[in-house]
């Protein structure tokens, strides 16, 4: 009896050691490079430090006070909201339309799916560069079409009132295929019997879309909204390549500001505040979404 | 499993038998009008997404004079390879390729390895605080890499890892998403086979290597490809952690090529972007099915 009990504890100990071996390195790296930075960002947001000098000066809430009263930071928060909301609405809206279309039994749709999805795979830096060429107001492809309908193309990337639109267009163009894939998977997950039942009940096309397709898609829509918001919050390469946050901060979002303060201006305190705000925004957003989803998501 | 239907449909070949679910907004019968609208829609999709890609490829073959010609030409009048030669000569693209390959292989290698082993531990091993530790891992999904760049840069600098491969690779080596994905997949594996192996005296590592790994191959390939593509395209972290030309990766290299050549010669810059994009495009053409499956698997769960 005693012997067998001892053997069980030995196996347990072995399993525990094996666990440490298998999961330990992964968790350790998360500790050092994900969780520790969260706390350290918090600390940095309370100091003044130019990252070149060895001295950090504790300034309490000064960095927060400075940023939240500066009009520049207001612009940056507004830019982030505009970029994120437009990106999410356009990506999900156009993505749904494309998915409905590509779910139809049409010849060649498999090839079209491949084309629609391919930008998702490609380097954001490379995509941004291609679009600078397309946006060029003198010999760009877009200008050619705009002239075709009798208008003049704005100087997209150098015009404060158009640069954000240009960056949003490219971001949506690149992420659209992702939404299409998610929505196609969602459409295929809707049980076919629901459509047959609706047909028997005499439901028309719109009624079927409204009462079967849309509710059936609500779980994937929920998933998609979260992932596209996170993607928009984190969008960096396209903005860096296309506009460098300009002209005059017109395309500076929170993540771009964090990069610029930290690695161009060497201002650890302000970059720390930006990181804290970025993290809190994502955290609060996720919590609200989870609350909301409990009431509104229909699991088909 | 919904995502399996989806993937079957995407796979070209005679195996496609699954009829698609009809959600037509025009009518359940295909009238000529709905068909016409459908094909018009397909054409619009191709134009919207395909045209910029086509423009990149075609631009790389145009002479400098032709790039600036208005109205633009839809096919290069005199196709030329000189842009590729010029791009290759104006930046050390050979070195960029080697750097990107090393960073991608090690970065994804670690991620795939950690995902395989961590998921195994969370599904098949019993240990105290298992669920709690899993939550800790999942919570990391909510922390974007971008939020951590400043402290991580300081850590890497303190380690003396600026301008090194380990500096680029190690901070991104841990994996939460892949662990979650593979854990879901491992849970669907037939337990009888695993139990039988254990009864026959196989240890955990043996079971992992010779039973779980082969059975989970599709999921591992899906996640692996997504990881490879993400590492290949990564921009922000390599930009921060490297500052010498010889340590640049392709995405950074093409950015600097554009900064230096951009307003001078678009043909050369388009050729350079093709250097960055082509390997991934080839992977995508070859393994589209697995990549799409990996992405869809995260969205539709039971």
């Amino acid at each position: 009896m005693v012997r067998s009990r001892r053997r069980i504890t030995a196996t347990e100990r072995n399993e525990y050691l094996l666990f440490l071996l298998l999961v330990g390195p992964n968790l350790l790296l998360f500790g050092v490079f994900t969780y520790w930075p969260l706390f350290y960002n918090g600390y940095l947001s309370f100091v003044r430090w130019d990252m070149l000098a060895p001295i950090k000066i504790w300034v309490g809430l000064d960095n927060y006070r400075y940023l939240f009263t500066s009009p520049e930071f207001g612009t940056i928060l507004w830019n982030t909201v505009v970029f994120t909301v437009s990106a999410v609405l356009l990506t999900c809206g156009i993505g749904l339309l494309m998915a409905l279309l590509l779910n139809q039994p049409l010849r060649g749709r498999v090839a079209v799916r491949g084309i629609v999805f391919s930008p998702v795979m490609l380097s954001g830096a490379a995509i941004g560069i291609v679009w600078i060429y397309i946006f060029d107001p003198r010999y760009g492809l877009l200008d050619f079409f705009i002239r075709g309908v009798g208008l003049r193309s704005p100087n997209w990337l150098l015009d404060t009132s158009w640069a954000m639109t240009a960056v949003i267009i490219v971001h949506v163009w690149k992420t659209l295929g992702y939404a299409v894939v998610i929505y196609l998977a969602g459409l295929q997950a809707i049980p076919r019997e629901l459509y047959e039942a609706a047909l028997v009940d005499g439901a028309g096309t719109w009624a079927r879309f409204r009462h079967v397709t849309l509710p059936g898609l609500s779980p994937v829509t929920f998933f998609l909204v979260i992932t596209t918001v996170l993607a928009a919050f984190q969008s960096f390469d396209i903005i860096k390549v296309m506009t460098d946050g300009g002209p005059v901060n017109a395309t500076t979002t929170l993540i771009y500001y964090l990069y610029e303060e930290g690695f161009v201006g060497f201002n650890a305190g302000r970059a720390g505040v930006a990181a804290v705000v970025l993290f809190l925004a994502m955290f609060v957003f996720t919590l609200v979404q989870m609350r909301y989803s409990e009431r509104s998501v229909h699991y088909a | 499993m919904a995502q399996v239907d989806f993937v079957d449909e995407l796979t070209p070949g005679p195996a496609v038998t699954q009829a698609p679910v009809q959600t037509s907004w025009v009518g359940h019968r295909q009238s000529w009008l709905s068909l016409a609208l459908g094909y018009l829609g397909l054409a619009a999709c191709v134009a919207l997404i395909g045209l910029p890609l086509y423009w990149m490829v075609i631009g790389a073959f145009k002479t400098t004079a032709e790039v600036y010609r208005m109205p633009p030409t839809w096919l290069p009048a005199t196709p030329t390879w000189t842009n590729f030669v010029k791009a290759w000569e104006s930046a050390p693209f050979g070195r960029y390729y080697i750097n990107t390959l090393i960073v991608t292989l090690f970065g994804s290698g670690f991620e795939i390895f950690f995902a395989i082993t961590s998921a195994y531990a969370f599904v098949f091993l019993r240990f105290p605080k298992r669920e709690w530790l899993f939550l800790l891992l999942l919570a990391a999904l909510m922390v974007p890499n971008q939020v951590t760049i400043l402290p991580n840069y300081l850590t890497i600098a303190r380690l003396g890892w600026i301008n090194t491969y380990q500096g680029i690779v190690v901070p991104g080596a841990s994996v939460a998403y892949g662990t979650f994905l593979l854990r879901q997949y491992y849970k669907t594996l037939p337990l009888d086979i695993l139990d039988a192996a254990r009864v026959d005296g196989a240890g955990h590592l043996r079971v992992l290597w010779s039973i779980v790994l082969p059975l989970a191959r599709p999921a591992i390939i899906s996640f692996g490809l997504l990881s490879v593509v993400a590492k290949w395209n990564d921009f922000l972290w390599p930009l921060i952690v490297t500052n010498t030309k010889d340590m640049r990766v392709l995405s950074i290299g093409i950015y600097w090529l554009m900064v230096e050549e951009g307003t001078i010669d678009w043909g050369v810059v388009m050729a350079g972007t093709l250097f960055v994009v082509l390997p991934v495009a080839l992977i995508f053409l070859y393994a589209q099915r697995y990549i799409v499956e990996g992405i869809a698997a995260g969205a539709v769960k039971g």
Side-chain angles (χ1 to χ4, degrees):
Chain A
M1 204 55 206
V2 173
R3 273 188 65 157
S4 81
R5 272 189 70 158
R6 206 177 277 157
R7 263 185 64 195
I8 288 167
T9 40
T11 349
E12 269 176 3
R13 204 182 57 218
N14 282 344
E15 290 221 345
Y16 198 63
L17 283 175
L18 188 62
F19 157 74
L20 283 181
L21 192 74
L22 294 185
V23 185
N26 202 1
L27 281 175
L28 187 73
L29 283 170
F30 270 122
V32 176
F33 292 108
T34 301
Y35 289 117
W36 160 247
L38 282 182
F39 292 104
Y40 200 65
N41 268 326
Y43 165 69
L44 286 177
S45 71
F46 295 114
V47 300
R48 186 180 303 132
W49 180 37
D50 71 2
M51 288 171 71
L52 302 173
I55 324 138
K56 301 186 185 91
I57 305 162
W58 182 268
V59 294
L61 289 171
D62 271 11
N63 291 321
Y64 288 89
R65 205 172 297 136
Y66 169 80
L67 283 179
F68 283 102
T69 53
S70 81
E72 183 202 29
F73 199 63
T75 311
I76 284 149
L77 289 180
W78 176 243
N79 287 344
T80 311
V81 170
V82 168
F83 183 86
T84 305
V85 170
S86 338
V88 171
L89 289 180
L90 290 170
T91 306
C92 294
I94 304 174
L96 176 61
L97 289 180
M98 280 189 172
L100 288 171
L101 177 76
L102 290 170
N103 201 38
Q104 304 297 312
L106 299 165
R107 276 162 187 270
R109 65 191 166 138
V110 174
V112 178
R113 279 176 192 169
I115 292 171
V116 167
F117 184 70
S118 54
V120 178
M121 295 285 97
L122 304 181
S123 143
I127 293 294
I129 290 168
V130 173
W131 275 90
I132 299 176
Y133 176 34
I134 292 172
F135 276 126
D136 192 292
R138 283 154 301 164
Y139 32 76
L141 183 62
L142 195 63
D143 182 55
F144 169 71
F145 288 118
I146 292 176
R147 270 169 210 262
V149 294
L151 298 169
R152 296 285 301 275
S153 163
N155 199 339
W156 290 97
L157 302 176
L158 296 177
D159 188 329
T160 44
S161 47
W162 286 101
M164 180 56 96
T165 311
V167 173
I168 290 170
I169 289 174
V170 179
H171 178 82
V172 171
W173 181 84
K174 185 174 172 3
T175 48
L176 207 49
Y178 175 77
V180 171
V181 162
I182 302 294
Y183 270 133
L184 275 171
L187 284 171
Q188 244 110 53
I190 299 173
R192 197 188 295 190
E193 301 84 65
L194 289 180
Y195 285 103
E196 282 158 9
L199 265 180
V200 170
D201 291 344
T205 308
W206 172 250
R208 269 176 288 141
F209 178 71
R210 172 76 187 75
H211 297 291
V212 181
T213 310
L214 273 189
L217 285 180
S218 64
V220 287
T221 304
F222 168 63
F223 173 85
L224 201 54
V225 167
I226 289 187
T227 46
T228 47
V229 164
L230 299 190
F233 270 149
Q234 297 174 58
S235 182
F236 176 81
D237 40 14
I238 287 173
I239 293 175
K240 170 71 183 161
V241 166
M242 290 182 68
T243 62
D244 250 328
V248 215
N249 282 340
T251 55
T252 302
T253 57
L254 208 44
I255 169 70
Y256 193 84
Y257 180 79
L258 164 56
Y259 161 80
E260 212 173 43
E261 283 298 329
F263 298 96
V264 182
F266 299 110
N267 196 328
R270 289 183 204 165
V273 174
V276 169
V277 172
L278 191 63
F279 175 71
L280 286 182
M282 295 183 59
F283 190 74
V284 168
F285 167 79
T286 313
L287 288 185
V288 170
Q289 280 290 331
M290 281 175 172
R291 251 300 148 72
Y292 177 72
S293 72
E294 280 168 19
R295 279 184 285 126
S296 70
V297 177
H298 308 266
Y299 286 94
Chain B
M1 296 285 281
Q3 60 266 41
V4 177
D5 289 354
F6 175 73
V7 168
D8 279 345
E9 275 211 78
L10 270 177
T11 318
V16 180
T17 48
Q18 179 89 27
V21 178
Q22 284 306 295
T23 52
S24 171
W25 62 90
V26 186
H28 61 281
R29 214 183 252 164
Q30 294 286 312
S31 68
W32 70 266
L33 183 70
S34 76
L35 272 181
L37 280 176
Y39 285 109
L40 210 66
L42 284 193
C45 289
V46 172
L48 207 65
I49 306 293
L51 213 51
L53 297 174
Y54 175 76
W55 209 238
M56 163 176 62
V57 177
I58 222 69
F61 289 97
K62 286 179 176 177
T63 60
T64 311
E66 202 181 350
V67 159
Y68 296 107
R69 194 174 299 157
M70 267 310 233
T73 46
W74 295 101
L75 279 171
T78 45
T80 169
W81 287 101
T82 50
N83 292 327
F84 292 93
V85 180
K86 265 197 210 164
W88 193 272
E89 281 169 354
S90 51
F93 271 101
R95 176 77 199 205
Y96 296 167
Y97 265 108
I98 293 171
N99 291 344
T100 313
L101 268 176
I102 291 174
V103 167
T104 303
L105 284 182
F106 280 95
S108 297
F110 276 120
E111 274 202 347
I112 295 165
F113 177 78
F114 284 149
I116 288 172
T117 53
S118 302
Y120 184 89
F122 280 116
V123 176
F124 299 113
L125 291 182
R126 255 168 305 256
F127 46 83
K129 304 252 188 287
R130 183 168 81 159
E131 300 308 311
W132 190 83
L133 285 165
F134 186 67
L135 272 180
L136 192 69
L137 198 83
L138 270 196
L141 273 176
M142 280 166 64
V143 186
N145 295 331
Q146 284 85 338
V147 169
T148 63
I149 49 171
L150 191 66
N152 282 350
Y153 174 81
L154 298 171
T155 305
I156 293 301
R158 204 167 297 148
L159 289 168
W161 284 2
I162 301 295
N163 283 318
T164 63
Y165 294 125
Q166 65 269 32
I168 304 176
V169 167
V170 172
S174 53
V175 58
Y177 180 70
T179 305
F180 175 70
L181 210 67
L182 291 188
R183 175 176 169 269
Q184 298 297 91
Y185 198 87
Y186 287 177
K187 280 184 160 179
T188 67
L189 298 179
L191 270 175
D192 300 352
I193 302 179
L194 298 175
D195 286 343
R198 308 266 5 231
V199 169
D200 286 349
H204 276 294
L205 290 179
R206 175 79 202 237
V207 172
L208 170 60
W209 179 253
S210 37
I211 297 175
V212 173
L213 267 193
L215 286 176
R217 235 184 64 169
I220 294 170
I221 292 177
S222 290
F223 168 67
L225 286 167
L226 288 176
S227 167
V228 163
V229 169
K231 299 288 178 195
W232 184 276
N233 291 335
D234 196 13
F235 183 79
L236 177 56
W237 183 247
L239 177 72
I240 286 166
V241 138
T242 64
N243 52 38
T244 58
K245 209 169 190 172
D246 65 318
M247 282 308 293
R248 280 177 196 162
V249 292
L250 277 165
S251 57
I252 312 296
I254 177 62
Y255 169 66
W256 285 108
L257 182 75
M258 194 263 309
V259 170
E260 283 150 19
E261 306 264 324
T263 48
I264 303 163
D265 204 333
W266 278 115
V268 175
V269 177
M270 290 303 112
T273 59
L274 278 180
F275 290 150
V276 186
V277 157
L278 263 184
V280 172
L282 291 177
I283 291 178
F284 179 58
L285 280 180
Y286 190 71
Q288 207 189 122
R289 180 173 99 86
Y290 286 108
I291 292 173
V292 168
E293 183 179 20
I295 284 184
V300 183
K301 34 184 197 270

